[in-house]
Amino acid sequence: MLKRIALIALCLTLAACGRAPDTDALRADVERGLTATYGADQFKIADLKRRGSAADSTAPAGETRRVVYYDVELRLDRDITLGAWDKPGAASLVTLLGAGPRSISGVKSSGNQAGDRIVAHASAIYRKDGDAWTLVTPAGFKAAEAPTLDSGTPPTVTRQLLDTLDQITHSVAYSASSTAQHVVQQELERSVSRINGRLSRLQHGYPLAGGPDRGEYVAFARALAGASRLQQIRITPLITGGGAENIALLRAGDVTVALAQADTARLAYEGKGPFADQAPFSSLRALGSLYPEMVHIVVRRDAGLRNVRDLKGKRIALGPQGSAVRATLERVLAAHGMQAGRDYTVVDTPFSASLPALNAGDLDAAAQVIGVPATPLRDALAQAKLQLLPLDPAAIKALTAGEDGVLMPIDIAAGTYPDQPVAVATVGTAALLLTTSELTRDEALSIVRAVYQTGQDLLAGGSPQGAQVGVATARRGLSVPLHDGAEEGLSALENPKTPTRP
């Protein structure tokens, strides 16, 4: 009998540990996080249900941690734009709730109003301290899978247009003017080429050069592909090496649209920097600005580094040699009075691989220009003792001076990353959706509408940066000419009562 009672007591104890912390403690921690980041009168927890927990396999040695899973429904008590570029927005919400971008719904690119509901499948990591459980950080998330695309059917050409073309062709064929016949021949050849090109793209899709697998660019490309299906546009996301390679693919005609940072696009357009051995890419065009990519400089918390100038004499990972991003990072360090090879040692390690090396002490700092929240950094900060360094105010002023607007002063908003209670001053450049002047006006119009349509929820489509995409910022940070069709499409979205040209 005593054995049975002891066994029951043990089971109850294990069950209690398995469910710790309880729902009330979880709710209180979520409320504290929301209040600290957004203020006391922004969100109200309408409902929270604990869905279970599991041991944290990534816990440091000697620590007992559990990952708690829960569903939460938030009600907005006042209006908010969660797509703001430098204020706590969807990026901070994703981090605070420990949610993946696909597991949050209700965030609107045009802004949310009081009374709106945002629902999330969320998670948090707790550490056992004696008899209590302490919130360590929200859990991380993994990149989403690519969406399945539906096939579309080309629209028919009207009989009236064909009849008119037939009349023009026959009337000129019998004229004595060889010049007129040559004009018709040129225009017919051009039209046939453009029609074939558009039909091919309609049936086979618009190849979109994204970025490395599990990176921010390819996540955005996949989210856009899913959203574009609703507009009967077939976008095919491609895994690539990033912005410089994307522009090379665009120049070669291997893709129709591509993602790249504004500073990289400007260098390609002008034939400078890593593109100096090529002619200026004068036909490069922008379809719009998407979201900001910010300079991140990461160091260990225990290294005693407080500002960028403290990195003198250190080993800094700046990514692969010859990349446009690396040129930007070297420019940022130069604004702090430091030159590569003289004041610091450059390490070629890519950003995702540099974070564990940094935590292990093999590096002193890692830097990248990337959208927020950067998935590899978010996951690393959830487990390791790393922190972001702010840029010096004087350096920010020097970097953003001038009229080109390629680099802009911007903050990484508080709460964007775990254990980041305050904003981090830095500079950023816009991620652009690019094409060439060969894209037709109507195609550019269609793509722009799909990207910037009111109420778009690219966050729920799998892009952590998706909520920052909106027509209000579509012209911000442009570094190359806007495509004529994109100009018309953005103007129509900015002024809905203005009809587009038929």
Side-chain angles (χ1 to χ4, degrees):
M1 186 67 177
L2 290 175
K3 285 185 177 181
R4 188 173 182 181
I5 293 173
L7 182 60
I8 292 172
L10 178 60
C11 290
L12 290 173
T13 301
L14 291 174
C17 290
R19 288 196 53 79
D22 61 20
T23 302
D24 290 341
L26 186 60
R27 177 187 285 267
D29 285 332
V30 174
E31 285 178 341
R32 274 192 291 270
L34 291 169
T35 299
T37 303
Y38 298 97
D41 58 346
Q42 183 63 72
F43 289 103
K44 180 178 179 61
I45 298 178
D47 189 31
L48 187 148
K49 290 185 174 65
R50 193 181 185 283
R51 296 301 186 188
S53 65
D56 180 13
S57 60
T58 64
E63 285 192 10
T64 300
R65 292 188 179 188
R66 295 195 71 80
V67 183
V68 181
Y69 303 97
Y70 63 99
D71 292 340
V72 63
E73 179 179 331
L74 304 177
R75 188 191 73 209
L76 273 75
D77 284 349
R78 54 187 173 89
D79 298 352
I80 188 173
T81 300
L82 288 166
W85 280 20
D86 57 355
K87 296 179 181 178
S92 299
L93 192 62
V94 165
T95 295
L96 191 150
L97 297 178
R102 282 186 179 273
S103 62
I104 290 185
S105 60
V107 176
K108 301 174 183 176
S109 62
S110 55
N112 286 82
Q113 298 179 329
D116 282 355
R117 304 286 176 122
I118 294 176
V119 177
H121 304 294
S123 59
I125 298 174
Y126 280 81
R127 179 181 62 241
K128 196 171 192 303
D129 295 326
D131 294 331
W133 288 89
T134 304
L135 176 66
V136 177
T137 180
F141 64 86
K142 303 302 177 187
E145 297 296 324
T148 302
L149 300 175
D150 296 328
S151 60
T153 55
T156 59
V157 181
T158 64
R159 186 75 253 167
Q160 182 180 0
L161 288 176
L162 283 176
D163 289 344
T164 301
L165 182 60
D166 185 63
Q167 292 171 13
I168 293 173
T169 305
H170 280 82
S171 65
V172 173
Y174 294 106
S175 74
S177 172
S178 59
T179 302
Q181 293 177 14
H182 185 60
V183 167
V184 170
Q185 179 183 343
Q186 281 186 322
E187 292 301 323
L188 284 175
E189 288 174 348
R190 184 178 291 113
S191 296
V192 167
S193 176
R194 289 169 72 88
I195 289 170
N196 282 335
R198 287 191 66 182
L199 289 176
S200 175
R201 289 192 290 269
L202 189 62
Q203 294 190 6
H204 300 289
Y206 294 88
L208 169 55
D213 192 20
R214 299 187 180 278
E216 320 306 319
Y217 273 6
V218 79
F220 175 82
R222 288 166 174 166
L224 180 59
S228 298
R229 286 182 300 168
L230 302 176
Q231 305 296 313
Q232 301 300 309
I233 299 173
R234 183 184 176 92
I235 288 178
T236 306
L238 302 178
I239 294 174
T240 70
E245 181 181 337
N246 292 351
I247 289 176
L249 291 168
L250 202 57
R251 187 193 286 261
D254 294 328
V255 299
T256 312
V257 282
L259 297 169
Q261 293 164 341
D263 51 353
T264 303
R266 169 66 65 84
L267 292 172
Y269 183 75
E270 297 177 346
K272 297 179 180 178
F275 307 97
D277 59 344
Q278 306 171 42
F281 193 176
S282 57
S283 62
L284 186 63
R285 296 291 183 270
L287 292 170
S289 180
L290 299 172
Y291 54 83
E293 298 194 74
M294 305 175 190
V295 171
H296 292 62
I297 299 180
V298 191
V299 298
R300 292 190 307 278
R301 287 186 183 275
D302 60 3
L305 304 171
R306 296 292 175 263
N307 57 65
V308 177
R309 296 182 193 277
D310 289 341
L311 295 176
K312 185 168 285 190
K314 305 297 185 182
R315 300 158 299 171
I316 310 175
L318 298 182
Q321 187 174 7
S323 70
V325 168
R326 180 158 163 175
T328 300
L329 294 170
E330 289 183 344
R331 181 182 169 192
V332 168
L333 292 169
H336 291 81
M338 294 189 294
Q339 297 296 326
R342 184 192 72 187
D343 300 303
Y344 61 91
T345 301
V346 177
V347 180
D348 298 337
T349 308
F351 186 61
S352 57
S354 69
L355 295 173
L358 175 62
N359 197 45
D362 298 329
L363 292 171
D364 298 303
Q368 180 61 295
V369 185
I370 196 168
V372 297
T375 303
L377 179 56
R378 181 177 186 264
D379 290 346
L381 287 172
Q383 302 297 336
K385 300 299 183 183
L386 305 177
Q387 67 180 15
L388 292 164
L389 287 184
L391 304 193
D392 292 351
I396 292 175
K397 184 176 181 180
L399 288 164
T400 57
E403 299 179 357
D404 61 11
V406 174
L407 287 179
M408 62 189 83
I410 198 165
D411 289 345
I412 300 175
T416 300
Y417 294 103
D419 297 323
Q420 186 214 329
V422 298
V424 176
T426 187
V427 295
T429 186
L432 303 183
L433 188 62
L434 299 169
T435 187
T436 70
S437 56
E438 294 300 310
L439 192 72
T440 69
R441 162 197 168 266
D442 288 335
E443 288 177 304
L445 268 172
S446 297
I447 294 173
V448 163
R449 286 169 180 156
V451 174
Y452 298 104
Q453 60 184 305
T454 301
Q456 179 73 280
D457 194 351
L458 292 168
L459 175 67
S463 169
Q465 293 77 35
Q468 295 175 303
V469 178
V471 69
T473 52
R475 299 177 187 271
R476 188 175 178 185
L478 293 177
S479 60
V480 298
L482 198 60
H483 191 288
D484 290 345
E487 173 66 54
E488 188 170 346
L490 290 176
S491 296
L493 290 169
E494 292 162 344
N495 304 284
K497 294 183 180 179
T498 303
T500 57
R501 181 167 55 89

